């Protein structure tokens, strides 16, 4: 059997084209992400084949294996990270450049998949259009596979159980992926243990090759394999249910194509010269394609998604990939064992470059994105359009007169409210955390943030109980339906297993219990009603200009007050009913009555009032509080009078 397998080169071409068309948003390729899974099957087959061949010949060396993998993967990856970093330095504002640098660090250290998994659970997690090196998650996962798989295979072979071990590992991985997806779909997507089954599908082909497949059977396998991959790329969706099980279709299709070999008539569909050429440069093409798409869209905006631009982007990708293949990949591919002592020197050289570049990217992150690249006035514009943070809280020196309580929609008020409190000579305590409902008895169903939010809730209530201050109470009410929260009473779970989306039985009871405790003893509560959302969606990272200019984000037209009232009518009616139970203590504040005139603005004096579709920016926080200042001062009047008495 020869080392070169034309059908595998063709599969690589099919895989990388699927990913390219998916990221270019070409109609009909919404499932093109399955190309990554095809790559995993190919890797599982080739790596397992090479390990077993060398082990059977008593010639396997862990040192040589890892050196070959390093020379194969890292040169092109280093170039990709370096060029992406340089582009970020030229076009990105500090806030965005921090993100690019952080991604570069994780890609170089082969932990990108782990970091994206961790960050996917954060309340303000970036979406794919805001991540310049997102595609490196698959490389990190593959590198982690390369780290452990040789040890696993060599040990299994020594006890003469290689195929059984691979089969068990494959089965356990798919079972684990199914279980994990029920509670943490991001883990099933990003983490190596839940992707081992895809590599295992490729490795098991080696066992199937013991049984010769030819003639009509091979033709059928080849046809089914290619059709299965193409159909998956065209019919799958990222949000389809039971995706981890569905991924067995392209994986088994790729395995079947490999098993059928390159001698079938059907295989000619993917073993023609064009596919062979694309397959040869597929690794470089995969590496360069997403940063090119990312920065084209960042710099040129919607223009980059036109048909002509898409064609030009494809030409640029193939040209860059060919250059990287010939001048980077091929220059480092190692054939045969290295000369005595050379392997160690090569390893030290790679480690020095990787750690050196990772040090630069990490310094960029901790330094705030090299802020010296931008004039101070432009940095201030960025700050005003960001989500309010602790640094945006205006120092307050007066006596505590208010508790600001809630989730991120309470946090968004801290910039504007702190300014008002400072002018009134009063202080304010902020008891809020993004995505955490401060409600008695409420627990998030999401396991990753459940404990964190529970601890935040308990700390907030303990602090509230220690004073008698009035409360400004803000939650994004509509996000806490029965599908998202559980309610625990003093005697245990309440209401049974309610999990309906868009129903608020648990929220109603939890809010009643919470306000009953708040209002006990005469404490006053200002409940902030339904948030006025932005009238459009936008990529926040493109709001800010870097050292080199890029096309600005298209203005977001103001929405109508009538539309905003209709959007918030259900929640405001619900909160109005709650208010009526404690008319002396609870007051409903409807943002739509203050933020909007006939229209609800999204920009003011050239500044975006929104950080995203539902949260105010620093400028928006000041705008909202400024518009509502008379009502807020009336709410604070009793406390001001009490504090002014001798």
């Amino acid at each position: 059997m020869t080392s070169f397998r034309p059908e595998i080169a063709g599969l690589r071409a099919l895989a990388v084209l699927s990913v390219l068309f998916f990221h270019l948003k070409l109609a009909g390729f919404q499932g093109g992400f399955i190309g990554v899974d095809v790559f995993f099957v190919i890797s599982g087959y080739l790596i397992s084949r090479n390990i077993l061949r060398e082990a059977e010949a008593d010639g396997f060396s862990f040192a040589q294996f890892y050196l070959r993998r390093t020379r194969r993967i890292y040169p092109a990856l280093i170039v990709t990270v370096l060029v992406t970093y340089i582009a970020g330095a030229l076009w990105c504002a500090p806030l965005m450049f921090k993100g690019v640098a952080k991604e570069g660090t994780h890609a170089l250290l082969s932990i990108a998949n782990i970091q994206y998994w961790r960050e996917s659970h954060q309340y303000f997690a970036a979406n794919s259009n805001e991540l310049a090196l997102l595609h490196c998650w698959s490389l990190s996962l593959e590198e982690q596979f390369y780290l452990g798989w040789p040890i696993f295979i060599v040990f299994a072979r020594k006890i003469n159980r290689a195929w059984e071990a691979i089969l068990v590992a494959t089965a356990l991985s798919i079972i684990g992926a199914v279980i994990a997806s029920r509670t943490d779909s991001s883990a099933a997507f990003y983490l190596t243990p839940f992707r081992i089954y895809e590599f295992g599908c490729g490795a098991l082909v080696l066992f199937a090759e013991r049984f010769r497949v030819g003639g009509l059977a091979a033709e059928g396998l080849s046809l089914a394999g290619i059709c299965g991959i193409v159909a998956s790329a065209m019919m799958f969706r990222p949000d389809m249910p039971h995706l981890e099980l569905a991924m067995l279709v392209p994986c088994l299709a790729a395995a079947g194509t490999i098993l059928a070999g390159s001698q079938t008539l059907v295989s000619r569909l993917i073993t023609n010269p064009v596919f062979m050429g694309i397959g040869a440069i597929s690794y470089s093409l995969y590496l360069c394609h997403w940063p090119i798409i990312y920065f084209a869209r960042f710099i040129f905006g919607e223009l980059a998604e036109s048909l002509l631009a898409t064609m030009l982007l494809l030409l640029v990708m193939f040209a860059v990939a060919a250059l990287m293949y010939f001048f980077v990949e091929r220059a480092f591919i190692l054939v045969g064992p290295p000369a005595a002592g050379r392997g160690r020197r090569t390893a030290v050289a790679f480690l020095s470059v990787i750690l050196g570049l990772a040090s630069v990217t990490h310094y960029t992150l901790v330094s705030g994105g090299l802020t010296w690249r931008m004039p101070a006035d432009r940095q201030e514009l960025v700050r005003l359009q960001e989500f309010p943070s602790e640094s945006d809280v205006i120092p307050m020196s007066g006596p505590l007169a208010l508790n600001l309580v809630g989730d991120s929609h309470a946090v968004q008020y801290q910039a504007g409210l702190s300014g008002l409190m400072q002018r009134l000579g009063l202080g304010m305590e902020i008891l809020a955390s993004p995505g955490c409902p401060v409600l008695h008895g409420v627990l998030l169903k999401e396991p990753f943030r459940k404990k964190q939010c529970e601890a935040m809730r308990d700390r907030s209530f303990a602090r509230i109980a220690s004073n008698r201050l009035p409360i400004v109470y803000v939650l994004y009410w509509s996000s806490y339906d029965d599908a998202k929260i559980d309610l625990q009473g003093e005697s245990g779970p309440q209401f049974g297993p309610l999990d309906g989306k868009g129903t608020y039985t648990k929220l109603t009871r939890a809010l009643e219990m919470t306000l009953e405790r708040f209002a006990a003893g005469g404490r006053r509560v200002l409940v902030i009603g339904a948030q006025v959302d932005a009238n459009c969606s936008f990529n926040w990272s493109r709001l800010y200009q870097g050292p080199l200019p890029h096309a600005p984000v298209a203005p977001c037209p103001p929405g109508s007050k009538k539309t905003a009232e209709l959007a918030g009518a259900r929640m405001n009616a619900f909160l109005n009913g709650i208010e009526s139970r404690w008319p002396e203590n609870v007051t409903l504040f409807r943002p739509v009555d203050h933020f909007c005139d006939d229209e609800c603005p999204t920009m003011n004096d050239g500044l975006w009032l929104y950080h995203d579709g539902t949260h105010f920016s620093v400028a928006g926080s000041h705008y909202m509080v400024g518009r509502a200042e008379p009502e807020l001062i009336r709410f604070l009047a009793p406390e001001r009078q009490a504090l002014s008495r001798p």
Side-chain angles (χ1 to χ4, degrees):
M1 183 184 295
T2 59
S3 295
F4 179 70
R5 298 282 296 272
E7 81 283 5
I8 291 180
L11 278 176
R12 284 195 176 110
L14 202 57
V16 77
L17 289 175
S18 297
V19 175
L20 259 64
F21 295 162
F22 171 69
H23 283 151
L24 286 168
K25 301 179 182 178
L26 295 187
F29 286 92
Q30 66 271 14
F33 57 87
I34 61 95
V36 171
D37 307 273
V38 174
F39 277 127
F40 289 164
V41 173
I42 294 171
S43 292
Y45 174 79
L46 293 176
I47 294 304
S48 301
R49 182 193 68 176
N50 294 344
I51 293 171
L52 287 170
R53 278 185 179 180
E54 293 179 12
E56 288 167 4
D58 293 326
F60 180 76
S61 165
F62 285 103
Q64 290 182 23
F65 173 85
Y66 293 128
L67 180 61
R68 286 197 301 268
R69 288 294 87 201
T70 300
R71 291 181 67 110
R72 179 71 181 88
I73 292 171
Y74 265 100
L77 176 60
I78 290 169
V79 170
T80 301
V81 171
L82 180 60
V83 174
T84 301
Y85 177 86
I86 293 171
L90 293 174
W91 274 283
C92 297
L95 185 67
M96 182 183 173
F97 191 35
K98 282 172 56 180
V100 173
K102 180 173 67 173
E103 288 186 83
T105 304
H106 299 147
L108 290 166
L109 299 180
S110 298
I111 56 172
N113 61 323
I114 297 172
Q115 191 60 28
Y116 289 133
W117 165 65
R118 288 171 56 86
E119 292 179 355
S120 70
H121 297 92
Q122 295 177 2
Y123 187 76
F124 287 110
N127 61 49
S128 61
N129 293 325
E130 299 165 1
L131 298 168
L133 290 168
L134 176 63
H135 64 318
C136 287
W137 75 266
S138 63
L139 292 179
S140 292
L141 189 151
E142 194 162 350
E143 287 153 12
Q144 291 158 20
F145 166 76
Y146 293 150
L147 188 64
W149 194 250
I151 300 170
F152 174 73
I153 292 292
V154 170
F155 175 77
R157 181 185 171 276
K158 281 189 175 182
I159 62 173
N160 202 29
R161 289 291 182 269
W163 306 117
E164 294 89 337
I166 293 172
L167 184 60
V168 169
T170 302
L172 289 177
S173 177
I174 186 62
I175 292 170
V178 171
I179 294 173
S181 66
R182 295 175 181 173
T183 56
D184 190 352
S185 59
S186 292
F189 182 86
Y190 282 118
L191 299 186
T192 304
F194 308 122
R195 293 281 188 159
I196 289 293
Y197 74 91
E198 300 183 343
F199 298 97
C201 285
L204 288 172
V205 172
L206 293 165
F207 175 72
E209 284 179 339
R210 294 179 174 183
F211 308 94
R212 293 191 177 276
V213 179
L216 289 177
E219 293 288 351
L221 268 178
S222 191
L223 178 62
I226 294 172
C227 289
I229 293 170
V230 173
S232 298
M234 299 183 71
M235 298 175 65
F236 281 18
R237 304 184 317 276
D239 60 347
M240 67 187 293
H242 310 299
L243 185 60
E244 63 289 336
L245 277 176
M247 293 313 303
L248 284 171
V249 174
C251 289
L252 293 175
T257 305
I258 297 171
L259 180 59
S262 60
Q263 300 306 310
T264 66
L265 293 174
V266 178
S267 69
R268 295 178 185 177
L269 294 171
I270 60 172
T271 57
N272 58 73
V274 173
F275 268 61
M276 292 295 94
I278 297 174
I281 65 170
S282 60
Y283 177 55
S284 287
L285 187 56
Y286 180 79
L287 277 174
C288 75
H289 86 280
W290 180 244
I292 290 172
I293 294 172
Y294 175 86
F295 278 104
R297 290 174 180 168
F298 179 78
I299 296 169
F300 299 107
E302 293 181 359
L303 183 63
E305 299 189 31
S306 66
L307 178 60
L308 177 60
T310 298
M311 295 173 64
L312 288 174
L313 282 176
L314 281 169
L315 289 175
V316 171
M317 289 177 208
F318 279 101
V320 171
L323 289 171
M324 194 149 66
Y325 171 72
F326 284 108
F327 294 103
V328 180
E329 276 195 72
R330 291 186 60 171
F332 284 91
I333 293 176
L334 183 62
V335 179
R342 186 177 176 186
R344 184 176 301 173
R345 291 194 297 271
T346 302
V348 171
F350 269 110
L351 187 62
S352 299
V353 172
I354 292 167
L355 293 181
L357 184 53
S359 298
V360 172
T361 55
H362 184 66
Y363 172 77
T364 302
L365 169 65
V366 299
S367 70
L370 304 185
T371 55
W372 51 264
R373 298 173 304 121
M374 302 286 293
D377 58 342
R378 198 182 298 179
Q379 290 188 49
E380 177 62 11
L381 289 178
V382 171
R383 185 190 71 81
L384 290 172
Q385 296 176 100
E386 250 298 279
F387 183 74
S389 65
E390 291 183 6
S391 62
D392 298 305
V393 175
I394 297 172
M396 299 166 284
S397 56
L400 284 178
L402 184 68
N403 290 318
L404 175 61
V405 181
D407 58 12
S408 61
H409 286 76
V411 176
Q412 71 176 352
Y413 279 92
Q414 65 183 354
L417 271 176
S418 64
L420 173 62
M421 300 298 283
Q422 190 264 349
R423 292 195 299 276
L424 296 176
L426 301 173
M428 172 181 68
E429 186 160 14
I430 302 165
L431 303 171
S433 181
C436 293
V438 182
L439 288 159
H440 275 289
V442 164
L443 298 173
L444 288 179
K445 287 186 176 180
E446 181 190 352
F448 200 87
R449 302 182 65 247
K450 184 176 182 178
K451 291 296 182 182
Q452 171 191 345
C453 286
E454 183 180 5
M456 171 61 197
R457 180 201 68 190
D458 293 344
R459 286 196 302 270
S460 296
F461 283 132
R463 183 59 185 161
I464 291 168
S466 70
N467 61 59
R468 307 301 301 168
L469 300 177
I471 294 171
V472 171
Y473 192 39
V474 197
L475 293 173
Y476 195 60
W477 307 102
S478 60
S479 68
Y480 302 113
D481 62 13
D482 291 336
K484 188 170 182 179
I485 63 174
D486 284 321
L487 183 61
Q488 301 288 322
E490 294 180 0
S491 59
Q494 303 289 307
F495 303 113
L498 290 175
D499 60 358
K501 290 185 178 180
T503 61
Y504 297 92
T505 307
K506 299 173 189 174
L507 175 65
T508 301
R509 180 59 185 140
L511 187 56
E512 288 172 347
M513 291 191 299
T514 302
L515 290 178
E516 188 172 15
R517 297 190 183 192
F518 282 170
R523 190 197 299 261
R524 293 176 302 107
V525 184
L526 186 69
V527 176
I528 307 295
Q531 169 76 353
V532 179
D533 293 341
N535 193 44
C536 66
S537 58
F538 53 91
N539 184 344
W540 70 267
S541 63
R542 294 192 63 249
L543 288 180
Y544 318 127
Q545 296 290 342
L548 294 181
H550 63 264
V553 176
C556 183
S560 71
K561 182 176 183 179
K562 183 177 181 180
T563 300
E565 286 178 331
L566 288 173
R570 181 183 181 186
M571 279 299 112
N572 284 332
F574 158 67
L575 294 171
N576 189 62
I578 296 291
E579 174 194 33
S580 65
R581 295 193 54 183
W582 297 278
E584 299 299 320
N585 303 93
V586 177
T587 302
L588 175 62
F589 173 99
R590 298 187 350 143
V592 67
D593 296 334
H594 303 275
F595 190 77
C596 308
D597 293 319
D598 292 334
E599 294 182 326
C600 306
T602 53
M603 301 183 70
N604 184 54
D605 292 335
L607 295 173
W608 286 73
L609 300 179
Y610 288 87
H611 166 70
D612 55 34
T614 70
H615 293 92
F616 293 137
S617 63
V618 173
S621 180
H622 285 289
Y623 181 86
M624 176 75 245
V625 172
R627 299 267 299 186
E629 186 171 303
E631 182 164 342
L632 293 171
I633 290 176
R634 280 197 298 274
F635 176 73
L636 289 166
E639 197 69 21
R640 294 175 68 195
Q641 293 172 4
L643 290 171
S644 65
R645 296 190 190 113

